């Protein structure tokens, strides 16, 4: 058996994932003897690849698109936040069992509050999307003190269902049904000036822009795309042209959720500031 502790990210079409680089930097900075690889795996092979990885002594996996719900089903035990999210982004071998956690929401909240200076306490938040990515961040946003969290989704029934599911945690509601499907310019006025608009749809991955309720952008608005890439997403361009104060992609969240996973696995929290700075520099 390999003497060095093994970790990896598992997802489909993740050839360009920055997770191996991030965890290599964390390991170096915290002097942890570990290696971190990449398992590009289609949904049909997910369960067998995970089982083989842990059977061969692997210590932990980060789980990304499209396997987070499958990982939730596969885990023997779940953290409360993973259970609530219905999705797992971190697997760890604990006492011979597969433990599932979800560090996405904590990573997002940390990026927003610590790195971007966004005050979530009392904030009005518009969440675009009602899929797995949205599901993982609703609880942590409400726990961070959002005063209103409005969910807007292409298929509005999913937004309604999600709002209902999380209603016990705080003021979460579906977007007004009157919101019409005109991209970026709609006719309702009751969603005026959000402090924060989060794009949790998968539209950016296909270069598309989700429908955004009218008057959502105010001069104070921070627009945050969970997606990240080499170039600005369509949502970033839209947010700037709509007058948002700031438009940010999810690289900070990626680094922060990775740090949360690293903490779970290694018992030490790595410093994220220098890693984020290194990844953000054009030469990296
Ligand atoms: P993920 O795990 O990435 O959230 P998902 O569960 O398939 O993936 O959810 C994708 C989300 O992006 C959904 O909210 C989806 O809207 P629908 O529920 O109406 O399908 C949203 N989405 C995907 N492409 C979109 C597009 N082009 N415009 C608007 N919303 C889109």
């Amino acid at each position: 058996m390999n003497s060095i502790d093994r970790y990896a990210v598992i997802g489909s079409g993740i050839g360009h994932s920055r997770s191996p680089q991030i965890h290599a930097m964390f390991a170096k900075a915290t002097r942890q003897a570990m290696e971190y690889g990449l398992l590009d795996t289609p949904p049909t092979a997910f369960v067998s690849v995970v089982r083989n990885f842990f059977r061969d002594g692997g210590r932990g996996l980060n789980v990304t698109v499209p396997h987070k719900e499958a990982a939730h089903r596969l885990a023997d035990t779940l953290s409360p936040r993973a259970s609530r999210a219905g999705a797992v982004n971190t697997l760890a071998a604990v006492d011979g069992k597969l433990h599932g956690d979800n560090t996405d929401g904590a990573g997002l909240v940390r990026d927003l509050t610590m790195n971007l200076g966004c005050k979530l306490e009392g904030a009005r938040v518009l969440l675009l999307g009602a899929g797995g990515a949205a599901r993982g961040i609703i609880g942590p946003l409400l726990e961070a003190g959002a005063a209103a969290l409005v969910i807007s989704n292409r298929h509005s029934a999913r937004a309604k269902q999600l709002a209902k599911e999380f209603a016990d945690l705080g003021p979460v509601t579906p977007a007004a049904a009157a919101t019409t499907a005109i991209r970026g310019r709609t006719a309702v006025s009751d969603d005026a000036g959000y402090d924060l608009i989060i794009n949790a749809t998968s539209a950016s991955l296909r270069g598309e822009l989700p429908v955004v309720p009218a008057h959502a952008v105010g001069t104070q608005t921070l627009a945050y795309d969970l997606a990240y890439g080499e170039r600005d997403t369509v949502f970033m361009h839209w947010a700037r042209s709509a007058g948002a104060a700031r438009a940010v992609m999810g690289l900070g969240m990626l680094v922060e959720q990775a740090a949360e996973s690293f903490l779970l696995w290694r018992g030490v929290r790595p410093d994220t500031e220098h890693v984020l700075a290194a990844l953000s520099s054009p030469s990296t």
Side-chain angles (χ1 to χ4, degrees):
M1 197 187 292
N2 206 335
S3 62
I4 197 161
D5 287 349
R6 287 192 305 117
Y7 299 85
V9 56
I10 183 165
S12 183
I14 53 163
H16 294 103
S17 169
R18 305 194 88 169
S19 291
Q21 199 184 353
I22 292 169
H23 282 280
M25 285 192 258
F26 287 167
K28 194 170 172 208
T30 58
R31 298 167 186 268
Q32 300 286 305
M34 57 184 276
E35 61 181 36
Y36 188 105
L38 189 147
L39 300 170
D40 206 336
T41 308
T44 46
F46 175 73
V47 172
S48 61
V49 170
V50 170
R51 289 215 189 282
N52 288 343
F53 179 83
F54 283 102
R55 195 200 53 217
D56 294 344
R59 304 295 307 155
L61 289 173
N62 278 135
V63 182
T64 188
V65 184
H67 303 313
K68 290 182 187 181
E69 281 157 39
H72 178 267
R73 288 191 294 273
L74 190 63
D76 300 312
T77 58
L78 291 169
S79 67
R81 58 189 178 180
S83 172
R84 186 83 212 204
V88 158
N89 82 330
T90 309
L91 287 168
V94 179
D95 300 331
K97 291 222 156 77
L98 204 52
H99 179 67
D101 197 357
N102 192 318
T103 66
D104 283 335
L108 172 66
V109 166
R110 231 181 135 84
D111 190 35
L112 287 168
T113 55
M114 311 280 285
N115 301 334
L116 299 169
C118 172
K119 193 167 164 284
L120 286 174
E121 180 85 48
R124 295 187 74 242
V125 183
L126 174 64
L127 178 62
L128 306 172
R135 182 174 274 285
I137 61 176
I138 295 172
L141 286 169
L142 290 171
E143 278 158 20
L149 199 159
V150 176
I151 307 175
S152 173
N153 195 51
R154 182 171 57 182
H155 295 100
S156 58
R158 285 185 89 187
K160 275 192 197 132
Q161 172 57 32
L162 210 51
K164 206 164 122 191
E165 241 177 82
F166 285 86
D168 61 312
L169 291 187
V172 54
T173 51
T179 302
T180 54
I182 303 168
R183 289 183 187 279
R185 290 174 276 116
T186 59
V188 290
S189 58
D190 56 345
D191 296 329
Y194 288 94
D195 300 306
L196 174 64
I197 303 177
I198 299 173
N199 181 18
T201 73
S202 52
S204 293
L205 305 177
R206 285 182 296 279
E208 294 166 1
L209 183 69
V211 172
V212 184
H215 312 298
V217 178
T219 49
Q220 83 287 10
T221 302
L222 166 61
Y224 193 103
D225 199 338
L226 296 194
Y228 72 93
E230 295 286 305
R231 293 197 206 102
D232 282 350
T233 59
V234 191
F235 177 76
M236 296 276 290
H237 289 295
W238 166 81
R240 285 199 196 100
S241 67
R246 280 186 294 174
V248 179
M249 286 192 291
L251 188 60
M253 174 182 172
L254 180 78
V255 173
E256 297 297 344
Q257 63 79 30
E260 288 280 322
S261 300
F262 195 91
L263 173 65
L264 179 81
W265 293 329
R266 309 300 300 183
V268 50
R269 168 176 277 288
D271 171 49
T272 50
E273 199 179 333
H274 77 282
V275 173
L276 189 51
L279 291 179
S280 306
S281 82
S283 58
T284 312

